[in-house]
Amino acid sequence: MTIRLRNPFKLRNSEKIDSDASFLRIYSPNVLESLVEKDKQQSLWNDILFIRSSPGAGKTSLLRIFEPTTLVTLFNSKSQTALKELREFLKKLHVVDNDKINLLGVSLHCTRNYENLEDLAISDAQKKRLFFALINARVITATIRGIIQLKQSDFPSDLDKISISYTNEHNYFKNISFPCTGKELYIWAENIEKKVFDAMDSFLPIEQIQPEGHDELFAFYALNVTNITFSGNNICNRILFMFDDTHKLSATQRTLLLKFILEKRGNQSIWISERLEALSNEDSLGSFMDRDYNEINLEEIWQNKESKFRAIAQNIAERRANVSTEDVTSFEENLEVNINEVTFNQNFINGFEKSLKNLEYFSEYTSKFDDWILYLKSHDGTSFEKARIARSAEILANKNMNVGQLTMDVPMTVQQLDALITSEIQNATEYFLAIENKIPYYFSFERLVKISSSNIDQFLQFSGDLFESMLSNKIASKNIILPTEVQEKILRRSVENRWDELPRLIPHSKLVIKLLQKFQEYAFKETNRPTIPYAPGVTGFAIKAPNKMKLIEERYWLEEEVARPLVDVLATCISYNLLERRTISQGKKGSESTTVYYLNRWLCVKFNLPLGYGGWRSLKSDDLLKWLK
């Protein structure tokens, strides 16, 4: 059954979509581009891949694409043109071809009672053995169920069609002989899981229950495609084991799981999906480039590929709007991109007059800008055009003022003014004109994408609120297209709701909020300096050593005990996508790079800051620590 919802943008968790057909219909396949790149680098299969992000970036949805029921639904829908792009991506990944599905994806969710093992009154060694036994059992049952789903057979009646051959030379499997049927192995694994659950639920001593424990995670190696047949035929070309939400394991369990998998490093394909909050503070703030394993950070991969994330957002918006029950089948087209100049005519006039007055003030001390003033006074353009040129001229006048040579200045020509109004000045002009004169700035699909900061959940939240207004307008027989001022009002309200949620959602929330607010005060002041030295504005910071001139290596302040509160706060900000960490290279090629922490763009809306990147300042770690006090 295909999903039909009033506002499909409000459906933000893929696990809440029961139908695979509905999930496929609204899924944007462009996300798979990062996997195609990994495959080209030969680092996608037969190895360990970590998929990390802050909440809402699309980790679970990405894994769901590779689950057998999803692949079967896709494979059986060859005539659906809406799924053609996804099929092409999966062909590039060798997951499907025209004749068959080549991959069995085995999904293991780490939300299923694993942490309860920590409450047992047994030794740590026993807890480890039961944890490994539970993982092995669930890998086996999930794999066998997956085979049945992949072959579109019946469970449990067709389990005997599965045959598993394994030498068992290390005697990992007790109380079962090979070769065996899928039914026999399934029952064996099910009994192990049941015994472990009995130990967790019973008041009896564990010695009386005697659950089976394991010293190794051997299920991955036993369940090799060469060892398994279905009705005498190979099941597929590759098995992919996918651990989802490993951050929900206890810290000890996560360490045990990852340590074993990383140390063994067989030729199995294992993907581990988790939130950034699972990382240590040092790992959160350090560069993933230094790690000795493959990783995809779903937000960082789009940081320097804004056009590609825009394409993903556009695809998502189009697919979601198409399944609305209210027949509002477009999203982007219903977002006005131009400010209504009639509605804001007086605001533009006010902006023009303020800039002209400031230029006339300069003329009391210099003749340098006299031609510009005459040009502006005689300009016959619209109020918007005049306000924009006047504000650009004011910015350039501030930049060009040279108090020591005022009496000797030669007037600057109108031609010079035109030449000096670069794209950087234009961007700054639009921002200042809007903020200073109550003119909309945060509107349009382009800026919605920026505000989403490469996070799909953010995009869906903000888009959902905008789409809700479109639906309300349609029901009320009003114009569906949202004016710029309405878009900004909705986005600001949505941002405020997100801000109000922070104390409930994040650790160290009081200190995090204090740091963000203090940086906002600093950034807004720096952004609004008359000469705009960091156009279009300051939205990020790097950290330098106290009382030293040059930027320092990350390890310096990370290892200082006195900086522990700052480390905790910054790591939280990175893990929960409040700050975006970017590596900036300046100067000649090969020169040292700098880690810059930029505000997530929705915080720029909250703090009335521009949306562009590039403007950042170096701050001392001890000054940042003072902000936290």
Side-chain angles (χ1 to χ4, degrees):
M1 180 178 176
T2 301
I3 189 170
R4 298 287 290 176
L5 295 173
R6 179 178 180 275
N7 187 345
F9 290 88
K10 295 291 186 180
L11 192 61
R12 286 153 58 184
N13 295 325
S14 68
E15 50 264 51
K16 292 182 180 179
I17 307 173
D18 293 331
S19 164
D20 289 312
S22 297
F23 168 71
L24 288 169
R25 191 174 179 188
I26 64 174
Y27 186 76
S28 173
N30 304 66
V31 177
L32 299 178
E33 286 186 14
S34 58
L35 298 184
V36 172
E37 289 181 15
K38 284 287 184 185
D39 186 47
K40 289 178 180 178
Q41 299 164 6
Q42 297 185 335
S43 56
L44 182 64
W45 305 115
N46 303 324
D47 203 348
I48 300 155
L49 175 68
F50 284 82
I51 301 172
R52 289 175 172 143
S53 75
S54 58
K59 299 180 297 299
T60 298
S61 296
L62 178 61
L63 298 189
R64 182 170 177 175
I65 285 293
F66 299 91
E67 292 180 359
T69 56
T70 309
L71 292 177
V72 167
T73 302
L74 178 69
F75 189 77
N76 292 340
S77 307
K78 293 180 180 179
S79 62
Q80 289 195 28
T81 55
L83 301 179
K84 181 180 178 181
E85 189 178 7
L86 175 57
R87 281 194 296 273
E88 292 305 312
F89 270 113
L90 292 176
K91 284 180 181 179
K92 291 179 182 178
L93 295 172
H94 322 293
V95 171
V96 300
D97 55 36
N98 292 329
D99 303 318
K100 63 183 183 302
I101 300 172
N102 298 317
L103 176 116
L104 171 62
V106 179
S107 188
L108 299 134
H109 299 277
C110 296
T111 55
R112 296 175 54 202
N113 304 320
Y114 291 104
E115 273 196 293
N116 292 348
L117 287 171
E118 300 288 6
D119 298 330
L120 292 177
I122 55 178
S123 69
D124 290 343
Q126 288 175 300
K127 290 177 184 178
K128 174 186 173 181
R129 297 188 78 247
L130 292 184
F131 174 60
F132 278 11
L134 195 54
I135 292 287
N136 283 326
R138 286 177 172 172
V139 167
I140 290 169
T141 56
T143 301
I144 293 173
R145 277 185 174 272
I147 294 170
I148 294 294
Q149 292 165 345
L150 188 66
K151 297 305 176 182
Q152 301 178 62
S153 296
D154 295 323
F155 180 91
S157 57
D158 286 336
L159 286 176
D160 282 330
K161 293 181 181 180
I162 301 172
S163 177
I164 300 100
S165 300
Y166 183 64
T167 59
N168 200 25
E169 58 184 327
H170 299 293
N171 200 31
Y172 292 141
F173 291 88
K174 297 178 176 62
N175 304 316
I176 187 171
S177 300
F178 291 94
C180 67
T181 65
K183 181 177 181 179
E184 291 169 332
L185 187 58
Y186 191 93
I187 292 172
W188 178 87
E190 202 173 38
N191 286 335
I192 287 177
E193 184 175 8
K194 182 180 181 301
K195 281 278 192 177
V196 174
F197 274 124
D198 287 345
M200 288 192 286
D201 296 337
S202 175
F203 292 105
L204 295 173
I206 198 167
E207 292 77 15
Q208 292 187 29
I209 300 170
Q210 294 185 332
E212 182 176 325
H214 296 159
D215 293 316
E216 299 208 28
L217 296 173
F218 53 79
F220 306 116
Y221 313 108
L223 297 172
N224 191 294
V225 288
T226 60
N227 298 337
I228 308 171
T229 60
F230 184 88
S231 296
N233 300 311
N234 292 334
I235 56 168
C236 60
N237 296 343
R238 174 182 287 122
I239 297 178
L240 167 65
F241 299 102
M242 302 178 290
F243 284 90
D244 194 16
D245 290 337
T246 56
H247 59 275
K248 293 186 178 179
L249 297 171
S250 73
T252 300
Q253 289 170 345
R254 178 180 173 274
T255 299
L256 288 171
L257 174 66
L258 301 191
K259 185 173 184 292
F260 186 91
I261 290 175
L262 288 170
E263 287 180 354
K264 280 291 182 180
R265 283 189 183 272
N267 61 352
Q268 289 72 28
S269 297
I270 300 175
W271 293 359
I272 297 168
S273 164
E274 61 184 9
R275 292 182 183 178
L276 292 171
E277 65 193 68
L279 299 177
S280 67
N281 289 346
E282 289 74 13
D283 283 338
S284 289
L285 298 174
S287 171
F288 74 86
M289 298 300 294
D290 298 329
R291 297 169 191 164
D292 63 347
Y293 50 77
N294 293 317
E295 177 181 12
I296 291 177
N297 183 307
L298 291 180
E299 285 137 341
E300 288 188 0
I301 57 175
W302 307 118
Q303 281 184 356
N304 298 316
K305 301 174 182 177
E306 190 172 304
S307 62
K308 290 194 174 183
F309 182 75
R310 188 199 187 285
I312 291 173
Q314 196 171 33
N315 191 282
I316 290 171
E318 181 181 346
R319 289 170 178 269
R320 299 260 171 163
N322 276 333
V323 298
S324 171
T325 57
E326 302 303 317
D327 200 30
V328 179
T329 57
S330 178
F331 178 74
E332 183 178 354
E333 292 175 8
N334 290 322
L335 296 175
E336 183 60 73
V337 296
N338 297 312
I339 294 171
N340 188 318
E341 294 184 35
V342 174
T343 302
F344 293 95
N345 185 59
Q346 189 58 51
N347 303 69
F348 289 126
I349 291 172
N350 294 342
F352 171 79
E353 290 176 348
K354 282 189 282 188
S355 293
L356 185 61
K357 183 177 179 180
N358 288 333
L359 287 168
E360 288 176 333
Y361 173 77
F362 294 152
S363 70
E364 296 177 10
Y365 301 94
T366 179
S367 61
K368 199 170 186 178
F369 312 112
D370 287 357
D371 285 356
W372 292 6
I373 294 171
L374 291 173
Y375 169 67
L376 290 170
K377 285 182 176 180
S378 62
H379 198 288
D380 60 356
T382 65
S383 298
F384 171 60
E385 292 169 338
K386 292 169 66 176
R388 186 173 55 186
I389 296 172
R391 191 64 181 89
S392 293
E394 182 186 353
I395 291 171
L396 292 167
N398 276 295
K399 282 180 169 292
N400 282 278
M401 286 290 283
N402 189 331
V403 179
Q405 299 178 350
L406 288 181
T407 58
M408 301 171 59
D409 285 340
V410 176
M412 298 184 73
T413 67
V414 174
Q415 289 75 21
Q416 285 176 301
L417 173 62
D418 289 337
L420 289 169
I421 301 178
T422 61
S423 59
E424 187 179 75
I425 296 298
Q426 289 174 353
N427 291 336
T429 294
E430 184 181 7
Y431 164 73
F432 286 113
L433 197 60
I435 297 301
E436 294 166 354
N437 299 284
K438 297 182 179 179
I439 297 167
Y441 177 73
Y442 306 107
F443 64 89
S444 79
F445 188 80
E446 294 293 335
R447 290 198 173 146
L448 173 62
V449 171
K450 288 181 181 291
I451 292 166
S452 299
S453 286
S454 304
N455 185 283
I456 292 171
D457 183 71
Q458 275 182 228
F459 175 75
L460 289 175
Q461 179 189 348
F462 300 142
S463 300
D465 291 342
L466 291 166
F467 195 70
E468 189 66 36
S469 186
M470 295 176 195
L471 297 177
S472 298
N473 285 352
K474 186 177 188 301
I475 292 170
S477 299
K478 296 179 180 178
N479 189 353
I480 298 174
I481 297 175
L482 302 183
T484 57
E485 63 272 22
V486 172
Q487 293 176 48
E488 180 168 88
K489 182 179 179 181
I490 292 170
L491 287 172
R492 285 190 182 277
R493 184 172 63 237
S494 188
V495 161
E496 284 301 321
N497 290 338
R498 201 172 181 94
W499 176 262
D500 291 342
E501 286 280 285
L502 290 184
R504 184 179 65 85
L505 296 176
I506 64 172
H508 312 293
S509 59
K510 289 184 179 180
L511 292 179
V512 166
I513 289 171
K514 185 178 288 188
L515 177 77
L516 295 174
Q517 288 175 329
K518 287 291 186 180
F519 178 68
Q520 182 270 337
E521 295 171 8
Y522 173 84
F524 193 79
K525 182 179 178 180
E526 290 294 301
T527 295
N528 284 271
R529 286 168 61 177
T531 57
I532 58 162
Y534 313 104
V538 174
T539 60
F541 62 90
I543 300 177
K544 63 181 180 181
N547 305 317
K548 291 187 179 181
M549 296 299 292
K550 68 175 184 177
L551 288 171
I552 59 169
E553 296 180 0
E554 295 175 19
R555 305 305 305 173
Y556 182 91
W557 60 273
L558 282 174
E559 293 174 352
E560 290 292 325
E561 186 60 33
V562 70
R564 181 53 48 187
L566 178 60
V567 171
D568 291 339
V569 167
L570 289 181
T572 300
C573 287
I574 294 295
S575 297
Y576 289 86
N577 202 23
L578 298 172
L579 292 177
E580 304 171 29
R581 184 188 59 217
R582 296 195 174 199
T583 301
I584 307 296
S585 296
Q586 293 183 310
K588 297 179 181 179
K589 187 175 181 179
S591 58
E592 284 190 16
S593 59
T594 302
T595 298
V596 177
Y597 301 94
Y598 282 107
L599 289 174
N600 185 302
R601 300 296 93 171
W602 75 264
L603 287 169
C604 292
V605 180
K606 163 69 179 174
F607 296 145
N608 280 331
L609 291 169
L611 298 176
Y613 292 91
W616 58 275
R617 300 284 284 126
S618 295
L619 298 172
K620 295 178 181 178
S621 56
D622 54 352
D623 287 337
L624 291 171
L625 281 165
K626 288 176 184 176
W627 287 357
L628 300 179
K629 294 180 179 178

